[in-house]
């Protein structure tokens, strides 16, 4: 069941159409679950798929985050460069035109950024994403994911870890 109140933004695709579109494309993200606004900070959300980006933005906004959206890695770097303060975190799709997630992550790190990054992908990212995770550069979440899985992975990404 779709929570229609979560989709009351002017000009947005009606929830039944957006949900059906996601399901048809194998993204299968379920309707937004009711979350208390307990989080804060800016999240830079980078995904070339506008329907997926919209769904993730709504989940994050309902949890209390402010979301800045980018359509690819180059757009993300432009947004990042214009920010007065770095975002609290970045959610970065792995496969995008113009500049993919791995190249964007490498460019962020080359700029000296230590911002926490959660990489997401609906494609088989068996080789590329875990390499970033093994280096400690990013965490990885495979699409499709639920709102609860997304928020849990983001919370783990944003929580500082003690050096071993």
């Amino acid at each position: 069941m779709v929570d229609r109140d979560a989709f009351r933004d002017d000009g947005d695709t009606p929830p039944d159409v957006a949900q059906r579109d996601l399901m048809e494309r194998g993204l299968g993200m379920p309707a937004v679950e009711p979350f208390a606004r307990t989080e804060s900070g800016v999240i830079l959300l980078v995904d070339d798929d506008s329907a997926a980006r919209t769904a993730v933005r709504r989940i994050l906004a309902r949890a209390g985050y402010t979301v800045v959206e980018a359509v690819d890695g180059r757009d993300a770097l432009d947004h990042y460069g214009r920010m007065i303060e770095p975002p609290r975190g970045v959610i970065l799709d792995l496969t995008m035109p113009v500049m993919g997630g791995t190249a964007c992550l490498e460019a962020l790190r080359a700029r000296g950024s230590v911002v926490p990054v959660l990489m997401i992908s609906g494609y088989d990212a068996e080789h590329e994403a875990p390499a970033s995770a093994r280096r400690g550069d990013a965490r990885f979440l495979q699409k499709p994911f639920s709102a609860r899985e997304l928020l849990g992975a983001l919370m783990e990404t944003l929580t500082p870890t003690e050096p071993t």
Side-chain angles (χ1 to χ4, degrees):
M1 171 171 251
V2 174
D3 179 356
R4 291 189 178 273
D5 291 331
F7 294 88
R8 293 290 179 194
D9 299 327
D10 290 337
D12 278 349
T13 305
D16 52 338
V17 174
Q19 187 69 18
R20 186 175 58 245
D21 181 56
L22 288 172
M23 296 298 281
E24 287 172 357
R25 291 187 290 143
L27 297 176
M29 290 186 275
V32 175
E33 298 170 82
F35 289 98
R37 289 182 175 266
T38 59
E39 297 302 322
S40 64
V42 174
I43 301 296
L44 178 56
L45 171 61
V46 190
D47 196 325
D48 62 312
D49 183 326
S50 63
R53 202 172 55 246
T54 297
V56 171
R57 174 183 45 85
R58 289 178 176 151
I59 291 167
L60 296 174
R62 289 200 58 167
Y65 294 104
T66 300
V67 181
V68 175
E69 296 179 53
V71 298
D72 58 49
R74 186 164 317 280
D75 189 31
L77 293 174
D78 289 344
H79 281 292
Y80 191 90
R82 289 191 307 268
M83 292 179 165
I84 295 171
E85 293 182 20
R88 184 164 175 209
V90 177
I91 297 176
L92 188 57
D93 189 28
L94 192 57
T95 306
M96 296 177 286
V98 182
M99 178 185 274
T102 301
C104 182
L105 176 60
E106 289 171 357
L108 285 170
R109 297 301 185 239
R111 291 181 178 189
S113 173
V114 295
V115 66
V117 175
L118 175 62
M119 296 186 92
I120 58 175
S121 182
Y123 294 101
D124 179 17
E126 187 175 309
H127 301 95
E128 202 167 356
S132 297
R134 280 193 303 275
R135 288 191 309 267
D137 290 336
R139 291 188 182 260
F140 180 74
L141 180 63
Q142 182 75 44
K143 292 178 185 178
F145 47 75
S146 69
R148 196 165 305 282
E149 289 169 329
L150 171 65
L151 292 173
L154 182 59
M155 184 61 66
E156 288 177 13
T157 302
L158 298 177
T159 303
T161 56
E162 295 294 320
T164 55

